[in-house]
Amino acid sequence: MRDSFVIGQYDWLKTQGGRPAGERRYAILRVGKIKTKGQLGAALSHNFRERHTPNADLDRLHENTVLKGPENGQDVVAAWEARAPEKIRKNAVHALEYFVGASPEKMAAMSRTQQDAYFRKALDWFEARHGKDNVLSAVIHRDETTPHMQILVIPLDARGKLNARELVGGKATLSKMQTDFAHEVGIAFGLERGRERSQATHQTIKEYYAHAQEPVEADFRLPERRKGHVLGVGRESDEEWRQRATEAAREAIVRAKAQYEDRLRQIERGAAQLLAGIRTHEQALRRGLGLSTPEERQMADIHMNGLLITARTRELSPTESRELVEAVETVLGPDGMTRLLGGDLDQLPGETFADRTQAAAPVLHALVDAGRDVTLALDRLEGHWRSLEEARQAEQEEKRMRARTVVIEKTHDHTHDEGDVWEL
């Protein structure tokens, strides 16, 4: 994310002065400008872990929480489009992304309930500042080293125009924002504002991840010999100094080993994520080329039918919707998908015309969510529904006519008195 403004002091910085490491208790607030829809989609893919994320622990993905907004990036983009003005300047900032956190040692000292309360209060603060409807998404990440929250805001001014300059333009505005955030949110949780006009230089996320991949360097220096006071009182003997130096070296080795092991775990997690992404991409390519095995098509057919049964009772979740698209692509293959998007709904599962038409609705809905053009297929589906309705009405009319015929026949065959009244 480029052109980011950083305010306050936090763990992703090279400090020059301020509190020593381990004693920092700063409220962290960072904001970045997103200038295009492409950058918007990329930021949301990171927030919702829809792409490989360095330093994110796959085993802790379930601990992430969507505090506000949709459950996936595509729906957040749709929410942005719903609020964005019809005309957008070429150089307009499309969105603001805020990073909310705290110094690692202070965040680690908070309980889960306290952390949640901090993030909730921060979200309320942003909604009051930017307007509740303009805060489109808030996601808490707990799958990285230090819990934090990322908030996406569409920067609309009072006229409904994209105007990030009015919200975060200039150092004075950013400095006041940091002060307000610390006083109105951070203080209640034992956090304070970073030093104003600090000479600290801050790292971008990209720089931080690059630094995380650097080799571990053992930080070790031999301890200085204690010289003692006047006349050598308290002077350290050679044996005492050797013992103390040996202990210091042993502690340095333990620290270096722990650092190497932590780095190894990070690499293993990153490799697992990368491998999962490669496998997902490979599966998509094989589906697109029609290279799925018979076993894969059989399993996909079972999964597809299960999702279609589910769709009869409730709306599919975004994850289920994506799974349905993948299953349909695997079962039909590229040629079948071309026919489907062209309006050939007869290849969908179902023994009868009505069954196949019923299956078409959730499939087409899932394809729309995936960004596919289903105009022709929708026209065909509408025609099918009209045909079904006409057939139903014709059947009802036929039943009514048969019932009328039976009444007429019974009337003609019945012996009755002249006073009897027969209504048809």
Side-chain angles (χ1 to χ4, degrees):
M1 190 164 50
R2 298 179 179 178
D3 297 330
S4 61
F5 300 100
V6 184
I7 43 186
Q9 293 176 312
Y10 53 102
D11 49 335
W12 295 352
L13 52 73
K14 307 163 190 173
T15 56
Q16 307 224 351
R19 292 180 180 273
E23 297 182 11
R24 292 192 293 267
R25 51 172 183 267
Y26 298 118
I28 301 172
L29 177 60
R30 183 166 61 91
V31 59
K33 296 186 294 185
I34 297 176
K35 295 185 175 181
T36 67
K37 285 188 69 175
Q39 290 181 0
L40 177 62
L44 290 168
S45 294
H46 166 82
N47 291 352
F48 290 100
R49 302 304 191 241
E50 295 169 347
R51 67 176 185 181
H52 171 62
T53 304
N55 279 21
D57 187 346
L58 286 173
D59 295 332
R60 294 164 56 198
L61 286 177
H62 66 280
E63 297 184 21
N64 294 345
T65 305
V66 177
L67 200 57
K68 179 176 181 178
E71 298 284 335
N72 62 83
Q74 185 176 351
D75 287 346
V76 177
V77 172
W80 179 91
E81 291 172 341
R83 292 196 58 75
E86 184 176 350
K87 294 183 180 180
I88 299 177
R89 299 189 321 276
K90 190 174 183 180
N91 63 342
V93 173
H94 286 52
L96 296 172
E97 186 178 32
Y98 288 95
F99 177 103
V100 176
S103 299
E105 47 271 79
K106 185 60 179 178
M107 184 64 76
M110 292 185 186
S111 67
R112 175 68 175 265
T113 300
Q114 290 172 326
Q115 292 175 1
D116 288 344
Y118 172 56
F119 292 134
R120 178 73 254 181
K121 189 174 180 66
L123 176 59
D124 292 341
W125 186 81
F126 280 106
E127 289 182 336
R129 186 180 186 89
H130 294 313
K132 191 171 185 178
D133 293 337
N134 292 332
V135 179
L136 303 179
S137 173
V139 181
I140 300 174
H141 290 149
R142 300 186 185 278
D143 58 353
E144 296 186 53
T145 304
T146 303
H148 58 272
M149 178 170 64
Q150 288 178 267
I151 299 176
L152 193 93
V153 174
I154 181 169
L156 296 179
D157 60 17
R159 301 171 300 164
K161 303 293 184 181
L162 291 174
N163 191 354
R165 182 184 298 275
E166 181 178 302
L167 302 181
V168 295
K171 293 182 179 179
T173 301
L174 293 173
S175 179
K176 187 176 185 304
M177 181 188 297
Q178 171 66 15
T179 300
D180 292 345
F181 181 79
H183 289 171
E184 298 171 20
V185 179
I187 287 179
F189 298 90
L191 302 174
E192 63 185 39
R193 190 201 193 286
R195 293 188 302 115
E196 295 189 59
R197 293 179 291 278
S198 169
Q199 297 301 311
T201 58
H202 302 263
Q203 296 174 304
T204 63
I205 290 178
K206 183 177 180 180
E207 290 170 340
Y208 172 75
Y209 285 142
H211 176 69
Q213 303 304 321
E214 294 175 356
V216 174
E217 296 181 1
D219 181 15
F220 173 69
R221 295 179 183 177
L222 286 173
E224 294 184 2
R225 187 192 300 267
R226 289 195 288 265
K227 297 179 180 180
H229 304 295
V230 180
L231 302 179
V233 177
R235 184 176 184 275
E236 190 173 31
S237 68
D238 291 345
E239 181 61 26
E240 289 173 336
W241 179 82
R242 280 194 295 271
Q243 290 180 356
R244 197 158 58 87
T246 300
E247 184 63 28
R250 185 180 295 111
E251 292 177 357
I253 291 172
V254 171
R255 288 197 302 270
K257 181 182 178 182
Q259 286 180 298
Y260 274 111
E261 290 175 346
D262 183 62
R263 183 65 53 80
L264 180 60
R265 286 192 294 269
Q266 292 178 6
I267 293 173
E268 289 174 343
R269 290 195 296 267
Q273 281 188 305
L274 182 60
L275 181 59
I278 291 173
R279 286 174 176 170
T280 300
H281 186 59
E282 178 190 11
Q283 291 171 353
L285 286 176
R286 293 178 70 246
R287 288 196 304 270
L289 296 174
L291 300 178
S292 301
T293 65
E295 292 78 10
E296 288 174 333
R297 288 193 293 272
Q298 183 179 13
M299 293 301 297
D301 186 60
I302 294 172
H303 192 43
M304 176 181 66
N305 282 285
L307 291 171
L308 291 177
I309 292 173
T310 301
R312 294 177 184 176
T313 58
R314 64 171 174 81
E315 184 177 351
L316 298 180
S317 69
T319 299
E320 291 170 331
S321 181
R322 289 192 294 271
E323 291 176 354
L324 179 57
V325 171
E326 293 175 0
V328 171
E329 288 177 338
T330 302
V331 173
L332 300 186
D335 293 338
M337 286 300 299
T338 300
R339 293 198 303 272
L340 174 62
L341 295 174
D344 181 5
L345 307 181
D346 294 335
Q347 58 186 323
L348 292 176
E351 297 182 0
T352 66
F353 175 73
D355 292 338
R356 292 189 294 273
T357 302
Q358 186 178 32
V363 170
L364 296 180
H365 189 277
L367 288 170
V368 169
D369 289 343
R372 310 293 285 272
D373 183 2
V374 298
T375 304
L376 294 176
L378 286 174
D379 291 342
R380 183 80 177 271
L381 178 61
E382 185 178 356
H384 285 346
W385 281 118
R386 283 200 300 267
S387 299
L388 286 174
E389 181 61 22
E390 292 172 358
R392 187 185 66 81
Q393 292 178 355
E395 183 179 2
Q396 289 179 343
E397 179 64 18
E398 183 180 356
K399 289 181 179 179
R400 191 179 69 82
M401 292 301 297
R402 283 201 300 267
R404 181 184 179 91
T405 300
V406 170
V407 172
I408 292 174
E409 288 176 350
K410 287 184 177 180
T411 301
H412 289 170
D413 294 341
H414 187 75
T415 302
H416 59 278
D417 297 331
E418 293 181 357
D420 291 339
V421 178
W422 297 90
E423 295 184 358
L424 303 181

